[in-house]
C-alpha cells in the first residue's frame, strides 16, 4: 500500500475538486463533499479529459468535455457517454493532511486475477 | 483563441444596379424584391459586412448564457463569457459543419456537436472529442479548430451588434449621430432598458427591404393601411400626420428615423391608458436627462431602422429584426423593450400591447404583412419587375441650418429616408470594400447648441 500526499484538508473547500498530478499512478482528483473527502482517478474513461476541471453535482462529477458523469464515492459511470467506471482510492487524514492509499501494481493485478 | 474565420470574397457588382436602383431620379424597380442574384449579392455585401443586431444585454445574466440567432442566413450563437463580455460564434461545427446549438436561448457549460462529439467551451475552444485517442494519433491540433468567431462585436445602450467583416468601420462610426435620436427610446431613464418576455418568431413572404424601409421612413402608409386596426384599438382613425406642426425625417449611413414630437401618438395605439400616463409621468425626467426636444419623442408617432434590418417603434416599444430567408421571405424576430425602472404592471401592459398589435396575430402586423407580401409577389412577373417604382416625396426638404444632428429633413411624410436607405444599399452592392463606400452624409456629426441644451452630463 502506497500513501500519496494530496493536499491539506483545510485547502479544499466543500463542494470542490482539485487535481493532484502523479506520473506513477496517474493524476488523482480529490473531492470535498460536505466535509467528506474522496479521491478518484482524474482521467475520464471515455475521452481525454481531466475530471477535476468538471462540475460537482450532488455526489456526481460531471466530465467537462462530454458532460458524462461518475459517482464520486464509488467511481461508477452514471451518465452518457461514460460506460467504464473510474478508480477510487481510500483517503487517510493525518494532522490535517490528506493522503490517497494506493495499492502497489502487483497487488492490483492480484485483485483483478481473483476478481 | 486566434480569430479563425475565413472572409467572404466579394464578387463583382451586378452591371445593372443603376437600372434597378436609380435614386438620383427617385426610382427603384420591383426586381430588387425578387431577384435571387441580387439577394446573393446582399448576403455577401450587406449582411456579411454590416453591423447586425444579435442580442440585448438584458438577455444575459451569467457566464454560459447564450442566444442563438442569425446574421443574414448565417447561424450564430452569442455567449456571455466569465469576464462578463459577449462573444459570437458561427453555430456550426468546424468538423463537418453540423449545428452545435439547437435551442434559441439558455445556459450551457459549452456546446457539443451531435455528430462526432466535438466539444467546445463557452469561449469557443475545442476541448475534446469522442474517441480522442485517434486525434492524438493523427497529430491533430485542437487549437486550430475552435468554433469560428465573428470578428467584431460591440454594443450601444444594451443593443449588441456583431460584424463578420474585420475591416468594417467601428459600430460608433457606423451608427454615427443617429444615436442621439436612439437615446429617446434606449436611454430615457436611469438604468436603461431590457427585453420583457421572449422572442416572437414568425414569417412573411416578403423581401426584407420592404419591411426595413417601412420602418426607416414610411409613416405615410399608417393613416390608410392601418385605419381599421386603429379604429379597433383606439376607437378612431390614426392621427393625421400632416396636421403635426413639426416633424422630421433624419438619416445617416442608410439608417433612418422619422418622428413627430407628440409624445404619445404611438403608445396610444396599444389601447392602454396606463402606458400613456407612464410616459407623461417620466417625461419631465427625460427632459432633464436628454433635453426638451427628445422628451417629446419617447412615444410619439415615429419609427426607425438601423441599416440593414433592425427596426423599432418608440411607444409601441416593439423591436424587430427582419431576418432574410431568400429574396422573397423573411423570418421576423420580435421583442418588447421596456425601461428597467418601469413598474412591473407597466412592463406587462407593454408585452400584452405588442401581442395585440405587432405580433403574428396583431392587428397592425396583419395590415402590413398583406401589403409587404404583395409588393414582393407582384415582382414575380418579369415585365412587372422591370417597371419603375416611385420614391420621390420630399425632394427639397433637407434642412441645412439646423442644430439637429445627422442628415435632417423637414416632415415625416417624406421619402428622404427611403431614398437614403436604398442609396446606401446600392452603394454597398457596388463597393468591393468598405473604403469604396461613398460618404453621402451632409449633416452635423453631433447635436448643435440649441438641440443639445439640457442634455445629460455623460454626453458632456
Amino acid at each position: 500500500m502506497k500513501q500519496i500526499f494530496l493536499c491539506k484538508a483545510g485547502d479544499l473547500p466543500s463542494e470542490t475538486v482539485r487535481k493532484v498530478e502523479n506520473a506513477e499512478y496517474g493524476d488523482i482528483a480529490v473531492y470535498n463533499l460536505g466535509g467528506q473527502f474522496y479521491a478518484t482517478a482524474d482521467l475520464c474513461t471515455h475521452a481525454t479529459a481531466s475530471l477535476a476541471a468538471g462540475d460537482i453535482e450532488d455526489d456526481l462529477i460531471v466530465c467537462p468535455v462530454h458532460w458524462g458523469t461518475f459517482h464520486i464515492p464509488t467511481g461508477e459511470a452514471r451518465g452518457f457517454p461514460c460506460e467504464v467506471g473510474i478508480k477510487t482510492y481510500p483517503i487517510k487524514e493525518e494532522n490535517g493532511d490528506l493522503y490517497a492509499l494506493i495499492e502497489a501494481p502487483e497487488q492490483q493485478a492480484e485483485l483483478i486475477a481473483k476478481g | 483563441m486566434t480569430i479563425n474565420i475565413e472572409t467572404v470574397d466579394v464578387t463583382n457588382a451586378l452591371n445593372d444596379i443603376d437600372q434597378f436602383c436609380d435614386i438620383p431620379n427617385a426610382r427603384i424597380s420591383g426586381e430588387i424584391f425578387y431577384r435571387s442574384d441580387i439577394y446573393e449579392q446582399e448576403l455577401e455585401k450587406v449582411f456579411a459586412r454590416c453591423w447586425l443586431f444579435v442580442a440585448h444585454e438584458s438577455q444575459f445574466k451569467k457566464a454560459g448564457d447564450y442566444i442563438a440567432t442569425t446574421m443574414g442566413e448565417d447561424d450564430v450563437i452569442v455567449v456571455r463569457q466569465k469576464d462578463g463580455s459577449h462573444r459570437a460564434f458561427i453555430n456550426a461545427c468546424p468538423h463537418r459543419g453540423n449545428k452545435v446549438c439547437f435551442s434559441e436561448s439558455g445556459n450551457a457549460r459549452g456546446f457539443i456537436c451531435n455528430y462526432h462529439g466535438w466539444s467546445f467551451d463557452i469561449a469557443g475552444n475545442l476541448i475534446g472529442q469522442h474517441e480522442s485517442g485517434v486525434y492524438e494519433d493523427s497529430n491533430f491540433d485542437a487549437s486550430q479548430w475552435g468554433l469560428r468567431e465573428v470578428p467584431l462585436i460591440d454594443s450601444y445602450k444594451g443593443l449588441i451588434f456583431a460584424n463578420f467583416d474585420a475591416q468594417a468601420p467601428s459600430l460608433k462610426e457606423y451608427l454615427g449621430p443617429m444615436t442621439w435620436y436612439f437615446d429617446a427610446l434606449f436611454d430615457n431613464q436611469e438604468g436603461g432598458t431590457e427585453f420583457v418576455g421572449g422572442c416572437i418568431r414568425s414569417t412573411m413572404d416578403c423581401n426584407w427591404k420592404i419591411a426595413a424601409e417601412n420602418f426607416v421612413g414610411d409613416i405615410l402608409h399608417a393613416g390608410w393601411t392601418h385605419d381599421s386596426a386603429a379604429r379597433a384599438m383606439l376607437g378612431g382613425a390614426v392621427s393625421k400626420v400632416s396636421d403635426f406642426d413639426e416633424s422630421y425625417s433624419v438619416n445617416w449611413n442608410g439608417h433612418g428615423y422619422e418622428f413627430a414630437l407628440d409624445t404619445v401618438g404611438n403608445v396610444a395605439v396599444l389601447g392602454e391608458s396606463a402606458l400613456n400616463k407612464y410616459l407623461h409621468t417620466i417625461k419631465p425626467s427625460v427632459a432633464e436627462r436628454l433635453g426638451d426636444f427628445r422628451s417629446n419623442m419617447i412615444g410619439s408617432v415615429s419609427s426607425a431602422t438601423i441599416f440593414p434590418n433592425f427596426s423599432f417603434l418608440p411607444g409601441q416599444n416593439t423591436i424587430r429584426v427582419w431576418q432574410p430567408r431568400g429574396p422573397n421571405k423573411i423570418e421576423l424576430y420580435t421583442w418588447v423593450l421596456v425601461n428597467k425602472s418601469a413598474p412591473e404592471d407597466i412592463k406587462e401592459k407593454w408585452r400584452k400591447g405588442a401581442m395585440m398589435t405587432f405580433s403574428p396575430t396583431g392587428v397592425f402586423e396583419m395590415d402590413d404583412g398583406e401589403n409587404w407580401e404583395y409588393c414582393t409577389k407582384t415582382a414575380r412577373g418579369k415585365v412587372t419587375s422591370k417597371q419603375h417604382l416611385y420614391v420621390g416625396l420630399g425632394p427639397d426638404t433637407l434642412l441645412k441650418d439646423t442644430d439637429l444632428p445627422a442628415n435632417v429633413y423637414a416632415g415625416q411624410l417624406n421619402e428622404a429616408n427611403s431614398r437614403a436607405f436604398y442609396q446606401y444599399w446600392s452603394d454597398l452592392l457596388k463597393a468591393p470594400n468598405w473604403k469604396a463606400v461613398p460618404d453621402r452624409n451632409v449633416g452635423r456629426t453631433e447635436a448643435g447648441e440649441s438641440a443639445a441644451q439640457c442634455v445629460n452630463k455623460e454626453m458632456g
Side-chain angles (χ1 to χ4, degrees):
Chain A
M1 190 72 72
K2 190 128 187 186
Q3 188 166 307
I4 303 213
F5 175 71
L6 298 171
C7 63
K8 294 220 166 278
D11 291 346
L12 189 64
S14 187
E15 311 315 309
T16 62
V17 53
R18 81 156 60 165
K19 172 174 156 175
V20 179
E21 290 189 1
N22 190 296
E24 197 178 345
Y25 299 103
D27 298 339
I28 297 169
V30 53
Y31 311 78
N32 178 346
L33 299 186
Q36 184 74 42
F37 297 97
Y38 298 96
T40 73
D42 180 65
L43 182 67
C44 180
T45 58
H46 165 250
T48 309
S50 165
L51 294 176
D55 295 326
I56 293 172
E57 287 186 354
D58 298 325
D59 55 359
L60 301 178
I61 179 71
V62 183
C63 175
V65 175
H66 291 99
W67 316 338
T69 51
F70 298 95
H71 186 227
I72 294 165
T74 63
E76 275 176 16
R78 288 281 176 89
F80 177 84
C82 303
E83 293 288 340
V84 177
I86 45 175
K87 254 186 234 165
T88 58
Y89 306 108
I91 291 258
K92 182 175 147 191
E93 192 173 345
E94 201 171 77
N95 302 326
D97 291 338
L98 296 176
Y99 298 90
L101 303 177
I102 298 190
E103 289 162 19
E106 51 276 22
Q107 282 175 288
Q108 286 182 352
E110 210 175 301
L111 279 175
I112 291 162
K114 280 179 190 165
Chain B
M1 202 176 73
T2 52
I3 297 291
N4 55 358
I5 193 165
E6 298 286 337
T7 51
V8 174
D9 284 336
V10 172
T11 50
N12 291 336
L14 296 168
N15 56 21
D16 58 345
I17 294 180
D18 291 338
Q19 271 88 64
F20 59 67
C21 188
D22 180 9
I23 295 307
N25 291 305
R27 289 162 181 227
I28 53 174
S29 304
E31 59 195 316
I32 67 171
F33 306 132
Y34 214 87
R35 266 170 56 181
S36 52
D37 60 337
I38 296 175
Y39 181 69
E40 290 301 318
Q41 291 263 317
E42 289 174 341
L43 289 182
E44 73 179 42
K45 295 181 179 174
V46 175
F47 291 98
R49 295 205 296 208
C50 289
W51 285 94
L52 304 175
F53 174 82
V54 290
H56 190 279
E57 282 170 2
S58 65
Q59 295 176 287
F60 306 87
K61 305 279 188 261
K62 56 183 190 293
D65 282 356
Y66 66 86
I67 294 289
T69 183
T70 67
M71 294 172 62
E73 297 230 41
D74 290 278
D75 284 301
V76 298
I77 34 181
V78 184
V79 195
R80 182 160 168 122
Q81 304 297 302
K82 285 175 182 155
D83 64 1
S85 67
H86 300 91
R87 292 168 75 170
F89 305 98
I90 292 181
N91 188 0
C93 181
H95 182 227
R96 284 297 178 278
N98 188 23
K99 203 166 166 173
V100 297
C101 176
F102 282 82
S103 78
E104 289 177 15
S105 62
N107 180 270
R109 284 197 171 87
F111 304 93
I112 301 180
C113 179
N114 286 340
Y115 201 175
H116 302 92
W118 282 32
S119 174
F120 307 90
D121 65 16
I122 60 171
N125 300 303
L126 175 62
I127 56 169
Q129 315 83 13
H130 179 64
E131 296 288 13
S132 48
V134 74
Y135 295 83
E136 286 153 22
D137 295 344
S138 305
N139 299 318
F140 175 72
D141 181 1
S143 71
Q144 299 299 304
W145 294 98
L147 291 176
R148 272 70 60 101
E149 183 162 9
V150 182
L152 304 179
I153 189 162
D154 200 356
S155 69
Y156 183 78
K157 303 281 165 88
L159 307 172
I160 304 176
F161 295 83
N163 194 318
F164 279 122
D165 186 353
Q167 308 307 316
S170 68
L171 178 64
K172 192 171 190 285
E173 193 184 330
Y174 181 73
L175 297 177
M178 292 302 290
T179 55
W180 190 81
Y181 300 96
F182 299 155
D183 288 352
L185 178 63
F186 295 103
D187 193 19
N188 69 39
Q189 291 291 281
E190 189 67 37
T193 60
E194 65 185 6
F195 280 176
V196 56
C199 177
I200 306 164
R201 296 194 179 193
S202 56
T203 58
M204 278 188 199
D205 291 335
C206 75
N207 182 271
W208 66 272
K209 294 188 294 299
I210 287 276
E213 183 233 304
N214 177 279
F215 277 60
V216 88
D218 185 346
I219 192 60
L220 179 63
H221 77 289
W224 184 259
T225 289
H226 294 309
D227 181 71
S228 61
R231 286 179 197 281
M233 297 304 295
L234 285 168
V238 173
S239 320
K240 192 152 187 288
V241 174
S242 53
D243 287 346
F244 290 134
D245 292 336
E246 190 180 3
S247 72
Y248 298 92
S249 297
V250 299
N251 62 64
W252 192 269
N253 290 348
H255 322 304
Y257 202 138
E258 57 80 20
F259 58 94
L261 298 170
D262 61 313
T263 310
V264 291
N266 263 9
V267 75
V269 306
L270 300 185
E272 285 281 4
S273 58
L275 297 180
N276 293 36
K277 200 174 156 196
Y278 169 76
L279 289 186
H280 280 300
T281 307
I282 66 167
K283 190 175 174 179
S285 64
V286 180
E288 211 167 291
R289 189 176 179 81
L290 302 177
D292 286 338
F293 186 87
R294 286 180 290 174
S295 75
N296 298 317
M297 294 172 64
I298 52 180
S300 67
V301 171
S302 56
S303 66
T305 289
I306 295 179
F307 191 91
N309 65 333
F310 174 84
S311 299
F312 60 90
L313 297 177
Q316 285 95 346
N317 287 16
T318 174
I319 303 287
R320 60 234 351 246
V321 175
W322 322 103
Q323 301 282 13
R325 296 292 180 262
N328 47 24
K329 194 177 183 86
I330 57 171
E331 196 175 350
L332 288 73
Y333 287 13
T334 303
W335 301 267
V336 179
L337 181 97
V338 293
N339 283 329
K340 272 186 197 162
S341 61
E344 287 307 311
D345 62 316
I346 290 294
K347 293 179 183 176
E348 183 61 12
K349 282 192 165 63
W350 247 307
R351 194 179 69 81
K352 286 184 178 159
M355 288 194 288
M356 297 282 282
T357 56
F358 286 97
S359 74
T361 55
V363 290
F364 290 89
E365 190 102 331
M366 286 199 262
D367 292 339
D368 287 325
E370 178 88 349
N371 292 336
W372 298 349
E373 290 195 351
Y374 280 94
C375 291
T376 303
K377 285 174 183 175
T378 56
R380 185 169 162 227
K382 201 72 190 167
V383 178
T384 308
S385 76
K386 297 286 181 191
Q387 307 305 312
H388 292 147
L389 303 172
Y390 176 83
V391 276
L393 294 177
D396 301 309
T397 51
L398 178 68
L399 296 176
K400 291 184 179 125
D401 299 315
T402 174
D403 270 8
L404 293 172
N407 312 316
V408 183
Y409 295 80
Q412 62 185 154
L413 291 173
N414 194 325
E415 289 175 324
N417 283 3
S418 298
R419 287 192 293 279
F421 173 87
Y422 287 119
Q423 184 64 66
Y424 196 70
W425 171 81
S426 154
D427 288 344
L428 280 169
L429 291 198
K430 284 183 184 174
N433 54 55
W434 272 105
K435 285 199 180 92
V437 178
D439 180 2
R440 297 183 189 273
N441 299 308
V442 295
R444 306 180 66 100
T445 53
E446 52 190 66
E449 206 173 313
S450 73
Q453 64 188 335
C454 306
V455 299
N456 66 17
K457 293 184 190 89
E458 281 167 25
M459 293 188 63

